Amino acid sequence: MGPEHLSRTPLFQTFVAVQNPDFPVALVLAYVVTALRFVHRALDAGLRAIDVRTLVEAARSCGASMPRALFRAVLPNLRGALLNAAFLTPALVLGEFTIAQLLGFRPFAVWIVDISGAQAQMSVAVSVTSLLVTWLLLLLLAGFGGGRRTSSTTDRK
């Protein structure tokens, strides 16, 4: 009874599939678990800032179903929190080094460290470019989520 006997088990096949270098499921799951706490905090702050119960009750009293009340009343008020979560996740994944290095994968951050010994100028150029792209993404998300829509009705005096 050795590894040959275990290779036919579903658990062994799952481990082999998880360590597939073409699509690293283990790395994706590790990033999901790592980013989950930041996404939770951003969404929790957004949910605490609004009165969800009143919004849902108002939408339901106007005849909206529960899914429609969530999509038309609650989610628009969570736009800022959703954008914060959407920015924190790629920023975390782009900068994460330890998990990928320990699991033996070579994503962006590990690649930059690997080439820094042989091609220092390239490593610095790619790092600065990634910093600029991250800032542009931040500005784009801030511009997309920053403005509030104004009502087209005029103020009555």
Side-chain angles (χ1 to χ4, degrees):
M1 211 157 116
E4 298 83 25
H5 178 70
L6 294 175
S7 66
R8 293 187 296 264
T9 63
L11 182 63
F12 185 81
Q13 295 299 324
T14 303
F15 285 142
V16 169
V18 166
Q19 291 297 336
N20 183 3
D22 294 332
F23 184 72
V25 177
L27 190 60
V28 171
L29 291 175
Y31 284 159
V32 166
V33 170
T34 304
L36 195 59
R37 60 185 170 174
F38 297 109
V39 171
H40 174 264
R41 294 210 183 220
L43 293 178
D44 183 50
L47 285 171
R48 289 180 190 266
I50 61 174
D51 189 9
V52 177
R53 179 176 290 162
T54 304
L55 286 172
V56 171
E57 285 178 4
R60 295 288 303 218
S61 68
C62 290
S65 64
M66 184 58 89
R68 187 170 178 96
L70 289 175
F71 283 108
R72 302 284 282 172
V74 176
L75 283 182
N77 289 301
L78 289 177
R79 183 172 56 174
L82 289 170
L83 288 173
N84 285 337
F87 176 72
L88 286 172
T89 302
L92 174 77
V93 170
L94 281 176
E96 178 59 45
F97 173 79
T98 308
I99 295 172
Q101 181 70 24
L102 287 175
L103 290 177
F105 294 106
R106 200 169 172 224
F108 186 65
V110 177
W111 177 77
I112 288 176
V113 171
D114 286 346
I115 68 163
S116 66
Q119 301 172 347
Q121 290 179 341
M122 172 96 132
S123 173
V124 171
V126 171
S127 298
V128 170
T129 304
S130 71
L131 179 67
L132 292 175
V133 168
T134 305
W135 273 100
L136 287 174
L137 178 63
L138 173 63
L139 291 174
L140 180 72
L141 288 174
F144 180 67
R148 295 254 184 217
R149 291 185 190 173
T150 57
S151 177
S152 61
T153 60
T154 58
D155 293 334
R156 297 183 183 156
K157 296 181 181 180

